Amino acid sequence: MIKKVLVANRGEIAVRVMRSCRELGIESVAVYSEVDRKSMHVRYADDAVCIGPAPSSESYLRKDKIIEAAKLTGADAIHPGYGFLSENADFARMCEKEGIIFIGPSPYAIDTMGDKITARKTMIAAGVPVVPGTTEPIHDIKTAIDVIMKIGLPVMIKASAGGGGKGMRLVKNEEDIISAISGAKSEAKAAFGDDAVYIEKYISSPHHIEFQILGDKHGNIVHLFERECSVQRRHQKVVEETPSPIMTQEVRMKMGADAVAAARAVNYYGAGTIEFIVDDNLNYYFLEMNTRLQVEHPITERVVGVDLVKQQINVANGLPLAFKQEDLKQTGHAIEMRIYAEDPDNNFMPSPGVIKHIREPLGLGVRHDGYVYKGYEIPMYYDPMISKLIVWAETRDEAIARMKRALFAYKITGIKTSIPYLHRILEVPDFIKGRYNTHFIEENQQYLKKQNTSTERSIDMAAIAAFVDYITKLESLQTEPNTKQQLGNNWKDFGRKRSALRF
Ligand code: MV4
């Protein structure tokens, strides 16, 4: 049985994994780069090893150093989190060769699903619906044009080694076919060292709906229902919710069965996600499988009542799943919003820096998965996501109200964050109605650009008032050192009175 887990990751997900380890009585080991010495995941862990300089290529992606750290600390398993080495079959193989348990799927499943052309073929053989298109790499333009004329324009050219939107081209006109294919091929070659591309019919206004699945090493596979992830900006998810507002019970059961069939086709064990694109008539098509724990896993945990990290560890230990499909159900509604250290009003420019003050939201139905603290400096080397706010309530409307309340209570100073932008999303009529697809962000720019509402103005005014108060205090402390106690937080009264007047 696993006694000590090395977490080959950083930030919020490293802390998230260690929390479940602690509940299971398992020790945790952090690995960290030189700029992450003071990161929360290092403080939380029972043991920690520095694995190199800041760039991930010299630290979090160094398979050899991570395995060396596991041996040094006596860790018997490695959890890769998401990103970094989480979908690297070679790393999974190296771990097993060194006698370390890789907490994740088999290298075979990672490889098969990592190559999108092989994944499509495997899904067709398993009877899972895929987007109409090719099942072999495109070798010559003539065959490509024949195929495209058969399926009809518009089409998408996708890199077989890609995924998540990398190396993708949309072709609307016949005259653009040749340049799109050669462009996609050279982009794929440069990005992945593999220029294989395939063609799919373009689905014009799709929803992105994914199914969480969980399998054990005894051939049991269940799904834990769907997550609606259509609110995306440049292939980055911004909001996720479950249940999906567009789903029917009938389609949910069919998609769930297909998700399980997809996983079964690669003898999947561990946690994984089947991504589908879904049109307005609820026709759905397999897009790709993510062979890792995902960022948005907490909404599933909350609505289904399962700790996914704990299940990953149990499966890695060889235990059978403790529940069957019929034991699982969805209760209530959960929404996750990702908080980024970015300035939404300056083209989402990353905003690294020192956290001067942080107050995290609390209260009924609120979960906050983060890692930054007062005085912590966010490094510029990694993903700017600093935390995830997850709320749960009986109904979708109540969950939205609860998310607004949680965002209201979330205060961070020292850096810019996406919090104001997230507030705006919750005011968009189509979001409130649950009527949105993957074009939501581009179609609702009028609501999402910098607002001049009384709420946003009073937040600015409160910050100015606090600053004036701070300077005033500093000055009086210099002239009259004993007046500190009398000063109080008089700026707050100022802020309250002014907002009552709705300035
Ligand atoms: C598509 C598509 C339309 N038709 N494939 C983008 C990310 C990658 N996982 C696949 N993506 C898409 N593939 C066909 N045949 C539209 C998208 C797409 C998209 C998908 C999910 C969520 C957001 C998206 C935003 C733009 C395009």
Side-chain angles (χ1 to χ4, degrees), residues 131 156 158 163-165 168 200-203 206 208 229 232 235 275 277 287-288 438:
V131 186
M156 295 206 89
K158 297 185 177 184
M168 243 173 47
E200 273 183 7
K201 179 154 189 63
Y202 178 65
I203 309 294
H208 171 135
C229 305
Q232 307 204 1
H235 303 302
E275 287 186 11
I277 42 177
L287 209 52
E288 46 197 74
T438 49

Short mmCIF file of all heavy atoms in Angstrom, two decimals, residues 131 156 158 163-165 168 200-203 206 208 229 232 235 275 277 287-288 438, ligand 1:
data_model
loop_
_atom_site.label_atom_id
_atom_site.label_comp_id
_atom_site.label_asym_id
_atom_site.label_seq_id
_atom_site.Cartn_x
_atom_site.Cartn_y
_atom_site.Cartn_z
N VAL A 131 -16.72 12.99 -34.80
CA VAL A 131 -17.05 13.97 -35.83
C VAL A 131 -16.71 13.35 -37.20
O VAL A 131 -15.64 12.75 -37.34
CB VAL A 131 -16.24 15.27 -35.63
CG1 VAL A 131 -16.71 16.34 -36.60
CG2 VAL A 131 -16.35 15.76 -34.19
N MET A 156 -12.30 21.41 -40.25
CA MET A 156 -11.16 21.78 -39.41
C MET A 156 -10.01 20.85 -39.71
O MET A 156 -10.20 19.64 -39.88
CB MET A 156 -11.52 21.68 -37.93
CG MET A 156 -12.58 22.67 -37.54
SD MET A 156 -12.48 23.09 -35.81
CE MET A 156 -11.35 24.45 -35.86
N LYS A 158 -6.71 19.43 -38.04
CA LYS A 158 -6.19 19.31 -36.68
C LYS A 158 -4.92 18.47 -36.65
O LYS A 158 -4.80 17.50 -37.39
CB LYS A 158 -7.23 18.66 -35.75
CG LYS A 158 -8.51 19.48 -35.59
CD LYS A 158 -9.43 18.82 -34.57
CE LYS A 158 -10.67 19.68 -34.35
NZ LYS A 158 -11.52 19.11 -33.29
N GLY A 163 -4.28 18.89 -29.58
CA GLY A 163 -5.27 18.75 -28.51
C GLY A 163 -5.40 20.08 -27.81
O GLY A 163 -4.45 20.89 -27.85
N GLY A 164 -6.57 20.30 -27.23
CA GLY A 164 -6.80 21.56 -26.52
C GLY A 164 -6.68 22.79 -27.41
O GLY A 164 -6.43 23.88 -26.92
N GLY A 165 -6.86 22.62 -28.73
CA GLY A 165 -6.90 23.78 -29.62
C GLY A 165 -5.57 24.12 -30.27
O GLY A 165 -5.51 25.02 -31.11
N MET A 168 -4.65 23.91 -34.79
CA MET A 168 -5.96 23.75 -35.42
C MET A 168 -6.19 24.84 -36.48
O MET A 168 -5.82 25.97 -36.26
CB MET A 168 -7.02 23.94 -34.34
CG MET A 168 -7.88 22.75 -34.06
SD MET A 168 -8.95 23.01 -32.63
CE MET A 168 -9.65 24.59 -32.91
N GLU A 200 -11.71 17.12 -39.95
CA GLU A 200 -13.03 16.89 -39.35
C GLU A 200 -14.01 17.90 -39.91
O GLU A 200 -13.63 19.04 -40.18
CB GLU A 200 -12.96 17.13 -37.83
CG GLU A 200 -12.54 15.93 -37.02
CD GLU A 200 -12.57 16.21 -35.52
OE1 GLU A 200 -13.03 17.30 -35.10
OE2 GLU A 200 -12.11 15.35 -34.76
N LYS A 201 -15.26 17.52 -40.02
CA LYS A 201 -16.30 18.49 -40.37
C LYS A 201 -16.38 19.51 -39.25
O LYS A 201 -16.25 19.18 -38.07
CB LYS A 201 -17.64 17.76 -40.53
CG LYS A 201 -18.77 18.72 -40.86
CD LYS A 201 -19.90 18.06 -41.62
CE LYS A 201 -20.91 19.11 -42.11
NZ LYS A 201 -20.29 20.07 -43.07
N TYR A 202 -16.58 20.76 -39.62
CA TYR A 202 -16.67 21.81 -38.61
C TYR A 202 -18.08 21.86 -38.02
O TYR A 202 -19.06 21.96 -38.74
CB TYR A 202 -16.32 23.16 -39.25
CG TYR A 202 -16.43 24.35 -38.30
CD1 TYR A 202 -15.58 24.44 -37.20
CD2 TYR A 202 -17.38 25.34 -38.51
CE1 TYR A 202 -15.68 25.52 -36.33
CE2 TYR A 202 -17.47 26.43 -37.65
CZ TYR A 202 -16.61 26.51 -36.56
OH TYR A 202 -16.72 27.58 -35.71
N ILE A 203 -18.13 21.75 -36.70
CA ILE A 203 -19.41 21.86 -35.99
C ILE A 203 -19.51 23.33 -35.56
O ILE A 203 -18.68 23.80 -34.79
CB ILE A 203 -19.45 20.93 -34.76
CG1 ILE A 203 -19.03 19.48 -35.11
CG2 ILE A 203 -20.81 20.95 -34.08
CD1 ILE A 203 -19.98 18.73 -36.03
N PRO A 206 -20.72 24.76 -31.21
CA PRO A 206 -20.86 23.63 -30.30
C PRO A 206 -20.80 24.00 -28.81
O PRO A 206 -20.31 25.07 -28.44
CB PRO A 206 -19.66 22.76 -30.66
CG PRO A 206 -18.61 23.72 -31.08
CD PRO A 206 -19.33 24.88 -31.71
N HIS A 208 -19.14 22.50 -25.30
CA HIS A 208 -18.10 21.58 -24.86
C HIS A 208 -18.62 20.92 -23.59
O HIS A 208 -18.76 21.58 -22.57
CB HIS A 208 -16.80 22.34 -24.60
CG HIS A 208 -15.73 21.52 -23.94
ND1 HIS A 208 -14.42 21.54 -24.36
CD2 HIS A 208 -15.76 20.67 -22.90
CE1 HIS A 208 -13.72 20.72 -23.60
NE2 HIS A 208 -14.50 20.18 -22.70
N CYS A 229 -18.42 22.98 -20.07
CA CYS A 229 -17.21 23.81 -20.09
C CYS A 229 -17.19 24.75 -21.29
O CYS A 229 -16.12 25.06 -21.82
CB CYS A 229 -15.97 22.94 -20.12
SG CYS A 229 -15.87 21.74 -18.79
N GLN A 232 -15.23 29.54 -22.58
CA GLN A 232 -13.78 29.48 -22.77
C GLN A 232 -13.30 30.72 -23.48
O GLN A 232 -14.02 31.30 -24.28
CB GLN A 232 -13.40 28.29 -23.66
CG GLN A 232 -13.94 26.97 -23.19
CD GLN A 232 -13.12 25.80 -23.69
OE1 GLN A 232 -12.13 25.96 -24.37
NE2 GLN A 232 -13.55 24.60 -23.32
N HIS A 235 -9.28 28.99 -25.85
CA HIS A 235 -9.12 27.59 -25.42
C HIS A 235 -8.74 27.45 -23.95
O HIS A 235 -8.27 26.39 -23.52
CB HIS A 235 -8.12 26.86 -26.32
CG HIS A 235 -8.53 26.90 -27.76
ND1 HIS A 235 -9.74 26.41 -28.19
CD2 HIS A 235 -7.94 27.43 -28.86
CE1 HIS A 235 -9.86 26.61 -29.48
NE2 HIS A 235 -8.79 27.24 -29.92
N GLU A 275 -14.05 14.20 -23.64
CA GLU A 275 -14.59 15.47 -24.15
C GLU A 275 -15.48 15.21 -25.36
O GLU A 275 -15.08 14.51 -26.28
CB GLU A 275 -13.45 16.38 -24.62
CG GLU A 275 -12.62 17.00 -23.55
CD GLU A 275 -11.61 18.01 -24.13
OE1 GLU A 275 -11.70 18.36 -25.32
OE2 GLU A 275 -10.72 18.40 -23.37
N ILE A 277 -18.05 17.34 -28.30
CA ILE A 277 -18.72 18.56 -28.73
C ILE A 277 -20.15 18.20 -29.05
O ILE A 277 -20.45 17.13 -29.58
CB ILE A 277 -18.06 19.31 -29.92
CG1 ILE A 277 -17.59 18.38 -31.00
CG2 ILE A 277 -16.96 20.22 -29.45
CD1 ILE A 277 -17.03 19.16 -32.19
N LEU A 287 -14.46 14.10 -28.96
CA LEU A 287 -13.44 15.03 -29.43
C LEU A 287 -12.06 14.53 -29.04
O LEU A 287 -11.21 14.32 -29.86
CB LEU A 287 -13.71 16.41 -28.81
CG LEU A 287 -13.27 17.63 -29.59
CD1 LEU A 287 -13.79 17.62 -31.00
CD2 LEU A 287 -13.75 18.89 -28.87
N GLU A 288 -11.84 14.36 -27.75
CA GLU A 288 -10.58 13.79 -27.27
C GLU A 288 -10.75 13.30 -25.84
O GLU A 288 -11.75 13.59 -25.20
CB GLU A 288 -9.42 14.79 -27.37
CG GLU A 288 -9.70 16.16 -26.86
CD GLU A 288 -8.66 17.19 -27.36
OE1 GLU A 288 -8.69 17.58 -28.53
OE2 GLU A 288 -7.84 17.59 -26.53
N THR A 438 -19.81 27.61 -27.09
CA THR A 438 -18.40 28.00 -27.04
C THR A 438 -18.14 29.40 -27.60
O THR A 438 -17.02 29.89 -27.51
CB THR A 438 -17.54 26.97 -27.80
OG1 THR A 438 -18.14 26.74 -29.08
CG2 THR A 438 -17.46 25.65 -27.05
C1 MV4 B 1 -13.84 21.54 -33.15
C2 MV4 B 1 -14.76 22.60 -33.26
C3 MV4 B 1 -15.70 22.50 -34.25
N1 MV4 B 1 -15.72 21.45 -35.08
N2 MV4 B 1 -13.90 20.51 -34.01
C4 MV4 B 1 -11.11 23.49 -29.75
C5 MV4 B 1 -10.26 22.83 -28.73
C6 MV4 B 1 -10.11 21.43 -29.17
N3 MV4 B 1 -10.27 20.53 -28.05
C7 MV4 B 1 -11.13 21.20 -30.21
N4 MV4 B 1 -11.77 22.47 -30.46
C8 MV4 B 1 -12.77 22.57 -31.36
N5 MV4 B 1 -12.89 21.54 -32.22
C9 MV4 B 1 -14.82 20.48 -34.96
N6 MV4 B 1 -14.84 19.45 -35.79
C10 MV4 B 1 -14.68 23.64 -32.37
C11 MV4 B 1 -13.67 23.64 -31.43
C12 MV4 B 1 -13.64 24.78 -30.55
C13 MV4 B 1 -13.91 24.66 -29.20
C14 MV4 B 1 -14.18 23.43 -28.62
C15 MV4 B 1 -14.44 23.34 -27.28
C16 MV4 B 1 -14.45 24.47 -26.51
C17 MV4 B 1 -14.16 25.70 -27.04
C18 MV4 B 1 -13.89 25.81 -28.39
C19 MV4 B 1 -13.61 27.05 -28.93
C20 MV4 B 1 -13.35 27.16 -30.26
C21 MV4 B 1 -13.34 26.02 -31.08
#
